[in-house]
Amino acid sequence: MVLKEFTDLSKKLTKDYFDSIDLDGVNPPEIRDGVSSYFLRGGKRFRPALCLMCAAAAGGEKAIEMAVPVACASELYHIFTLVHDDIIDDDDVRRGGPTVHIKVKNDLLTEYGSELDENDALRYGTASAILSGDVLLALAVDSVCDAVNRGADIKAVQKVIRLLTRVCTPALCEGEALDTRYGMLFTSMEKLFTVSEDEVINVLKKKTGELFAFCTTSGYIIGSGKNEPDESVLTALRTYSELCGIAFQLQDDILGVLSDEKTLGKPIGSDIREAKNTLILRESYKNASAGEKKRLSSIVGNKNASSADMEEAISILKNNGGIEYSAKRADEYIVSAINALKAIPDSEYKELMKEAAHAMRVRIM
């Protein structure tokens, strides 16, 4: 089976499972819409595909169906983090449409017009988005439990739930907190370098790699049918996932500079406005001329920067080696990730995992 064939199958199985979830009890309607909107907008769904690959690597093709609820749970959990992340970062656009909190705000203003204060509408939009995220988290856990109804070992399912709630969630929240703190402490370009590159990479590992690790290890646990599968395999999968997650995020930073809003599904240059401590920005600033450094200092972190300002900042980043440096580091992480798979027994699904690592780097998956 080639990678595209597998990922198309994964998308179908995950979407079919999501469609089977009864959301009638989720109210009011704006929360129900907040739960489903990002999922229904699509997305590449790397995480469910990784989960099902690893399930099949452990238990063969028959394990795929058993692991579908867990694969869907990984996407529900991912969307839960996106909904909350959009609030933290004050983002307006996600997957080509308005973010949950902004959509609710806009809908209220359309319905009530001048009767409603815009700040009150935003406050309710934010509350609705937070609650939508809470429901998504609950649905993710419930979906993992449903794997028992497809033949998964109940103790294996318990182990997966603990991985989600006791390992993945604290680590991901740590990464989000550190990322927010580093942005909050930004007062000048020089402040970027009070945080080391290793600390920046650690944020990427926590924010993205940890959820990838949940996907691979949970898939393998469910697919193996054991509560205690081979720990050396789980360790290898965790290493593979964390390294892929770092590379994935480095590539995301690159796309945030080189892509366009329609393709990316969110505003270009948002990392610049939010003063995200990216390898691209760090390396480009080091190599920039005095005049370019002065312009970056006036644009980075400026939420009121104009489109022309953003174009100028992006041009400076493109011309000073930051993109090439970030791409080089991403490639190094992918090579290391694939090397980590040596501990995994050979199978067609292991080969798919290697292909998936390369695909995440260039986003063709």
Side-chain angles (χ1 to χ4, degrees), residues 1 3 28 35 46 62 73 126 144 161 164 178 204 208 246 264-265 268 302-303 313 316 319 348 353:
M1 185 180 292
L3 182 62
V35 167
F46 296 105
K62 66 181 185 300
T126 301
V144 174
I161 291 172
L164 186 64
L178 290 174
L204 305 186
T208 304
I246 294 168
L264 196 62
I268 297 301
N302 180 3
K303 296 187 183 298
I316 294 171
N319 294 330
E348 64 174 306
M353 291 170 66

Side-chain angles (χ1 to χ4, degrees), residues 67-78:
V68 167
V70 180
C72 188
S74 71
E75 186 69 8
L76 291 169
Y77 186 92
H78 174 53

Side-chain angles (χ1 to χ4, degrees), residues 36-157:
S36 62
S37 60
Y38 288 5
F39 194 104
L40 296 177
R41 290 177 196 174
K44 291 188 180 293
R45 298 186 183 148
F46 296 105
R47 294 158 188 83
L50 283 176
C51 180
L52 296 182
M53 275 179 209
C54 291
E61 189 173 339
K62 66 181 185 300
I64 292 176
E65 190 68 25
M66 188 165 59
V68 167
V70 180
C72 188
S74 71
E75 186 69 8
L76 291 169
Y77 186 92
H78 174 53
I79 294 172
F80 141 67
T81 68
L82 295 181
V83 171
H84 283 190
D85 196 44
D86 289 339
I87 297 168
I88 293 170
D89 290 341
D90 196 25
D91 283 337
D92 292 346
V93 177
R94 171 71 67 178
R95 293 187 175 178
T99 52
V100 172
H101 64 290
I102 294 298
K103 183 178 185 302
V104 174
K105 182 199 80 168
N106 291 342
D107 288 348
L108 283 174
L109 291 175
T110 298
E111 182 177 356
Y112 293 102
S114 59
E115 296 178 45
L116 189 65
D117 180 79
E118 185 170 353
N119 289 328
D120 287 340
L122 178 60
R123 185 158 59 92
Y124 183 70
T126 301
S128 297
I130 292 171
L131 296 170
S132 296
D134 293 344
V135 173
L136 281 159
L137 176 57
L139 290 174
V141 175
D142 182 70
S143 295
V144 174
C145 293
D146 194 38
V148 174
N149 296 323
R150 296 198 176 198
D153 178 80
I154 190 167
K155 290 186 177 180
V157 170

Side-chain angles (χ1 to χ4, degrees), residues 53-60 63 219-225 347 349:
M53 275 179 209
C54 291
Y220 196 87
I221 290 167
I222 295 298
S224 70
S347 71
Y349 300 105

